[in-house]
């Protein structure tokens, strides 16, 4: 009875509250023809030590100076970056960073390995980028936080890095994808930019990229940070692609420009996405925010695959019967495929977030890698990825 009451309450709030609502329609729903599908074709398993847990918060796939493919990931418990040979899954080494002293990185939030001795590490507590070598020695730092500005967080991006929201490099500028952490920030949308770019020659930092007015202008109430996440990718031409959670379109721009071009990048099954009909963001009930997110289709990561010359875009399906007790990771996951001109190729549902830790997704020559969540105690001894490849229908 309590479960039904909560659900009915959320529906009443959703439809009874007055407010300025935005509806984002999917003009191609049911009109797209699929010619490709994703199929799981294999698995990669990396043996973990006793001090390392599955579901690492950050992964980078890269190559060393000899061309060997490396899987690297963050172990926050040890404040270390682990290195494995991707091909044979053998453990190679780790770089453990001190938490105090001249070479301190208090808590690693993300990193970008440009070369063995040029590793850019995000020091989360101090909101800075530290340049380290392979021994963990810090050579320089770029501070992004202005401690004298009490309103700094209101007009600068905040960072929630992951494998699908990583540090990236374009034209020797390190790109830090960020987001507006508070919904009220978007009342001043035209003065807030969500990507930080650092010139690696001058160490100068600038912010770029606006939230689209048609999605986030006019004081639309989307409920907060779950909808304000922005997922980036880089095109073969060196432009940036952004996937906004509440748009069937993708937005393409130069890395240093606020101007963006829209291209359709949606699902054949996704429905209309609607903002919350409640006038005041600050007074929106938590249950309304949560059920609005759970009941609707929302997009997530966009990933470019240079080996198969496609893009993958993740869609988290709405659950109409969701309530406050429905786990956040229970939404079904579909992967939409597009060619490099963003033409629709097809889409495949692979399961839910309780089966796949989709935030740990990356591409290799062997396929699209997605971390599998194990169900047996021994599964915690391995970092496991399902390999997905494209097949014709």
């Amino acid at each position: 009875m309590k479960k039904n009451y909560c659900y009915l309450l959320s529906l009443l709030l959703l439809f009874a509250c007055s407010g300025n609502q935005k509806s984002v329609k999917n003009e191609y729903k049911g009109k797209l023809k699929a010619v490709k599908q994703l199929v799981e074709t294999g698995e990669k398993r990396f043996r973990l030590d006793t001090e390392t847990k599955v579901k690492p918060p950050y992964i980078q796939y890269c190559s060393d100076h000899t061309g060997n493919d490396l899987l690297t990931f963050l172990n926050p418990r040890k404040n270390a970056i682990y290195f494995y040979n991707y091909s044979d899954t053998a453990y190679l080494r780790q770089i453990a960073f001190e938490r105090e002293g001249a070479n301190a990185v208090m808590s690693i939030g993300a990193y970008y390995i440009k070369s063995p001795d040029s590793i850019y590490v995000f020091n989360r507590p101090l909101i800075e980028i530290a340049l380290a070598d392979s021994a963990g020695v810090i050579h320089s730092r770029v501070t992004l936080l202005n401690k004298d500005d009490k309103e700094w967080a209101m007009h600068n991006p905040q960072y929630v890095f992951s494998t699908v929201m990583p540090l990236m490099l374009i034209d020797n500028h390190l790109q830090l994808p960020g987001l507006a952490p508070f919904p009220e920030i978007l009342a001043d949308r035209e003065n807030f930019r969500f990507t930080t770019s650092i010139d690696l020659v001058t160490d100068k930092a600038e912010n770029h990229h606006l939230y689209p007015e048609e999605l986030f202008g006019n004081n639309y109430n989307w409920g907060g940070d779950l909808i304000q996440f922005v997922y980036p990718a880089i095109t073969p031409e060196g432009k940036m692609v952004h996937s906004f959670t509440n748009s069937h379109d993708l937005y393409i721009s130069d890395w240093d420009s606020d101007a963006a071009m829209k291209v359709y990048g949606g699902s054949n099954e996704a429905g209309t996405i609607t903002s919350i009909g409640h006038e005041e963001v600050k007074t929106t009930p938590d249950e309304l925010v949560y059920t609005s997110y759970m009941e609707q289709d929302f997009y997530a990561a966009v990933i470019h695959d240079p080996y198969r010359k496609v893009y993958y875009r993740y869609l988290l399906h709405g659950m109409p019967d969701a309530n406050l007790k429905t786990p956040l990771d229970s939404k079904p996951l579909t992967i939409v495929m597009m060619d490099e001109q963003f033409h629709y190729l097809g889409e495949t549902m692979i399961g839910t977030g309780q089966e796949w830790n989709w935030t740990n997704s990356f591409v290799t020559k062997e396929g699209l890698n997605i971390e599998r969540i194990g169900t047996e105690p021994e599964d915690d001894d391995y970092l496991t990825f399902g390999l997905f490849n494209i097949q014709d229908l």
Side-chain angles (χ1 to χ4, degrees):
M1 183 65 183
K2 184 178 179 181
K3 174 180 176 181
N4 291 334
Y5 173 78
C6 291
Y7 179 57
L8 289 172
L9 176 62
S10 70
L11 288 179
L12 287 171
L13 286 167
L14 181 62
F15 293 109
C17 293
S18 61
N20 183 29
Q21 283 189 278
K22 171 69 175 180
S23 292
V24 184
K25 296 182 179 180
N26 184 1
E27 59 180 319
Y28 292 106
K29 181 180 179 180
K31 301 176 182 178
L32 302 170
K33 181 180 180 180
V35 295
K36 305 285 185 180
Q37 65 178 345
L38 270 181
V39 177
E40 188 176 1
T41 56
E43 186 177 82
K44 301 286 287 193
R45 286 165 60 87
F46 299 83
R47 180 79 185 192
L48 302 176
D49 61 33
T50 56
E51 296 183 274
T52 307
K53 295 183 178 181
V54 297
K55 301 175 70 173
Y58 193 88
I59 293 172
Q60 183 186 352
Y61 172 76
C62 57
S63 299
D64 64 15
H65 65 283
T66 64
N68 291 321
D69 296 326
L70 303 177
L71 176 78
T72 74
F73 61 83
L74 173 61
N75 181 342
R77 181 177 179 181
K78 297 189 67 176
N79 208 36
I81 302 172
Y82 278 47
F83 291 74
Y84 284 75
N85 186 308
Y86 178 81
S87 298
D88 64 11
T89 73
Y91 168 79
L92 299 175
R93 62 189 178 93
Q94 61 179 274
I95 304 174
F97 289 86
E98 300 174 4
R99 298 185 188 270
E100 298 179 349
N103 294 312
V105 176
M106 295 172 64
S107 177
I108 302 173
Y111 59 88
Y112 181 83
I113 302 172
K114 183 181 179 183
S115 68
D117 284 315
S118 292
I119 303 173
Y120 295 89
V121 181
F122 182 73
N123 189 0
R124 182 167 48 195
L126 298 182
I127 312 181
E128 68 175 14
I129 291 289
L131 174 60
D133 62 24
S134 57
V137 176
I138 304 300
H139 293 269
S140 64
R141 300 176 189 268
V142 177
T143 299
L144 302 173
L145 174 64
N146 181 358
K147 295 181 180 179
D148 296 327
D149 183 357
K150 294 182 179 179
E151 298 293 321
W152 179 84
M154 297 299 292
H155 49 257
N156 283 278
Q158 305 303 296
Y159 311 105
V160 185
F161 296 114
S162 69
T163 308
V164 294
M165 286 192 290
L167 301 180
M168 301 176 294
L169 189 67
I170 306 177
D171 293 341
N172 210 35
H173 286 73
L174 191 67
Q175 310 293 329
L176 284 67
L179 75 153
F182 312 113
E184 56 267 30
I185 288 176
L186 296 182
D188 191 29
R189 179 202 60 82
E190 64 273 14
N191 292 314
F192 184 92
R193 289 158 177 81
F194 57 79
T195 304
T196 300
S197 298
I198 301 175
D199 187 326
L200 297 186
V201 175
T202 66
D203 287 344
K204 181 181 179 181
E206 295 181 340
N207 294 336
H208 303 287
H209 305 128
L210 297 168
Y211 281 91
E213 182 177 6
E214 63 269 25
L215 298 174
F216 294 95
N218 205 25
N219 292 320
Y220 298 130
N221 180 0
W222 290 103
D225 58 1
L226 282 174
I227 310 304
Q228 290 165 204
F229 275 66
V230 187
Y231 297 87
I234 301 175
T235 73
E237 298 76 28
K239 293 184 178 293
M240 296 196 73
V241 180
H242 289 113
S243 170
F244 294 92
T245 59
N246 54 354
S247 178
H248 306 286
D249 296 321
L250 293 165
Y251 288 72
I252 304 172
S253 63
D254 293 327
W255 65 265
D256 57 352
S257 173
D258 294 333
M261 176 186 71
K262 286 194 304 183
V263 296
Y264 182 77
S267 160
N268 194 45
E269 300 178 1
T272 297
I273 305 171
T274 306
S275 65
I276 299 171
H278 192 283
E279 292 179 352
E280 294 292 332
V281 173
K282 290 184 178 180
T283 60
T284 305
D286 290 342
E287 60 266 26
L288 178 54
V289 173
Y290 192 75
T291 55
S292 175
Y293 177 79
M294 294 300 296
E295 291 171 359
Q296 298 193 80
D297 299 324
F298 284 105
Y299 293 92
V302 58
I303 301 169
H304 177 244
D305 184 339
Y307 305 104
R308 283 152 283 275
K309 300 186 184 303
V310 299
Y311 290 93
Y312 308 107
R313 192 183 189 196
Y314 290 12
L315 173 71
L316 301 174
H317 286 275
M319 303 175 68
D321 296 327
N323 57 65
L324 293 177
K325 294 185 178 180
T326 306
L328 187 67
D329 59 4
S330 59
K331 299 186 78 168
L333 173 66
T334 280
I335 302 176
V336 181
M337 293 162 284
M338 296 164 279
D339 65 20
E340 289 188 321
Q341 288 71 48
F342 300 99
H343 299 135
Y344 178 84
L345 297 175
E347 57 193 275
T348 302
M349 183 183 292
I350 66 167
T352 74
Q354 295 179 339
E355 302 166 77
W356 300 99
N357 181 25
W358 59 266
T359 60
N360 277 343
S361 297
F362 57 94
V363 292
T364 68
K365 296 173 184 176
E366 296 185 22
L368 172 64
N369 293 239
I370 307 176
E371 185 183 4
R372 187 193 306 278
I373 299 174
T375 58
E376 302 297 331
E378 58 268 22
D379 292 333
D380 290 341
D381 296 333
Y382 293 88
L383 180 58
T384 304
F385 298 93
L387 296 174
F388 291 84
N389 278 280
I390 299 173
Q391 290 185 0
D392 294 333
L393 285 174

